[in-house]
Amino acid sequence: MLEQLQVEEIEFSQDQPQSTPSALEDRTYKRVRLVCWLVCIAFALIEAWSQRMFINEDGISYLDMSDYLLRHNWHLLVNPIWSPLYPILIGIVTWFARPTGLAEGPVVHVINFVIFLGALASFEFLLRQVISVLGPESERSKTSIPVWAWQLLGYSFFAWSTFGMLWAPRMVTPDLLVTAFVFLDCGLLLSLRSGNKLLRTCLLLGVALGLGYYAKAILFPLAFVFIFLALFMIGNLRKSLLPLALTSLIFIGISAPLLIAMSKRVGHPSYSEVGNLNYAWHVNHAGAGKLAGGPFFYSESGPPAYLKHPATLLHAHPDAFEIREPIAYTYAPRQDMEYWSAGTRVVFNWRNQMHAIFDNLKLLFVDSHNALMIFLIIAGFAFALARPDRGLRLRKMLHSLPFFVLSLIAISLYMLIAVEPRYIAPFLVLILLGMLPGVLVANTKQATKRTVLTMNFISAALVIFTAMFVGYHLAGFPRGFHGDGLDVYARVGTYLNTAGVNPGDEIAIIGDSSDGDRWARAARVRIVAQILREDVKDFWAIPDATTRGGIYDAFARTGARAVIAEDTPPPSALAEWQQLGNSHYYVHFLNSSERN
């Protein structure tokens, strides 16, 4: 009996993974990781520095929200469209830095770079789990594709999606933050399969899922998918009940304050209104009037009857609108879309839905950034199916089923409404990582030196192509800024303050709000009236000064101190306007406040 126990103990010790030195701890793995990190960080630094003055239109909304943290207006951080975690991070940093209009862009890009480092760390955690749970470390096979090939391919996918699809750290959006949470959540999900430190892993998963909801609303419904998939990763219903109950309680406890505040804000149970409004705009085509994507402005037929807060028409032909709203935002219609769209209802129409799905499918395959990733996915599956050992390879891919399920659900949610590369980038990476076990791990009975060399060549080729792709992407900017450089909006804001429009003043604009809110943010002024871009020619075509004066008077009645035009006025009206520095922007002061 004693001899039998000794034999069983020897056999058990031989089965333990700890008995074999891990490739994840050897020098080769660490060296490859260091190189990949240095390359990715170098790309991120180039991106952050070259685009340090760039702030996209969505970024203005998050910057406005960050101000509420400084002013202790906590309730304004609950916005039905814009999630609060990213502006909270910006607000914390700007509370210490106190940047000016010119310095705000660089400070935000420093924040983005730090978030990028967090996303890089999350991806490394995920990749280690993929290699150890799904990859060569799960088999310890000497004939498998080497671990460094997994690393190079994995970081190629990361760089491709991060710089080519998310446009990080250039874009002032929470998408990189979302990517970090998705990778972290998936890494924790895989670590559940080992069964080690189950309670701690489930606790961390609950915290990550709860904070993810604060990063972006899409992660709230996906949290339930993660919890459902965690049940299968643990594999034992009785063993999983307590840990997953802990995950659920922590997730609910963290997300409940935002969920309750959001529901109070909109007047009905809601975790976010972004999905409903985007569905109404993109699928129902609600408010297809003066402004695509929202029923804030309307044509001469008047505002939709259902709209509770339409923009006020100040003057017709050319149409001038008042866009004042109870809370002081840089550009209220974009910052508080739920207020301006109040009354809009989602109506399911199967024909409109099918058109939306078809359009999104086209975008999925036509957009070069999406198409390249989709091509890799199709090529990977085709390679696995073409091999003689296709059954084995497909079974290995099935071990990644949670990645495929999660990604397909997330992409399908976007497909129903609108698809952009930055929305689906992390989920395409998950699909590619999930395919690696079936593509890279060779059958130990059939593996040959030629197979290994072939896969190493493919890995090296993809790495080189990724580097060229990212390099081309970084070299393609700046563009689309009227040739004035990336700091044009910050400079116009400074010129505006110098000309006599002070921070806190209200103004009217003649032109595009997507440009206007950027320099208005830099000048710290508020846009309360507007002539839209499509009506600018009609305004400048007005033959007499009296009619123009009537529009100026209408602007003045809104409280606007001045009118800013983004194009050079025609000679007949130029005398009324003052150029802002050497830019193509002009200012006209209203009433007695007019200055020379």
Side-chain angles (χ1 to χ4, degrees), residues 510 536-542 548 552 565 567-570 572-573 577:
I510 300 175
V536 170
K537 289 184 179 180
D538 291 340
F539 175 77
W540 294 127
I542 295 174
R548 284 198 303 271
Y552 296 152
D567 294 321
T568 303
S572 60
W577 295 82

Side-chain angles (χ1 to χ4, degrees), residues 378-391 393-394 397 438:
I378 295 174
F381 277 113
F383 175 83
L385 290 172
R387 303 295 297 174
D389 54 347
R390 65 179 67 89
R393 293 180 179 273
L394 291 177
M397 286 188 183

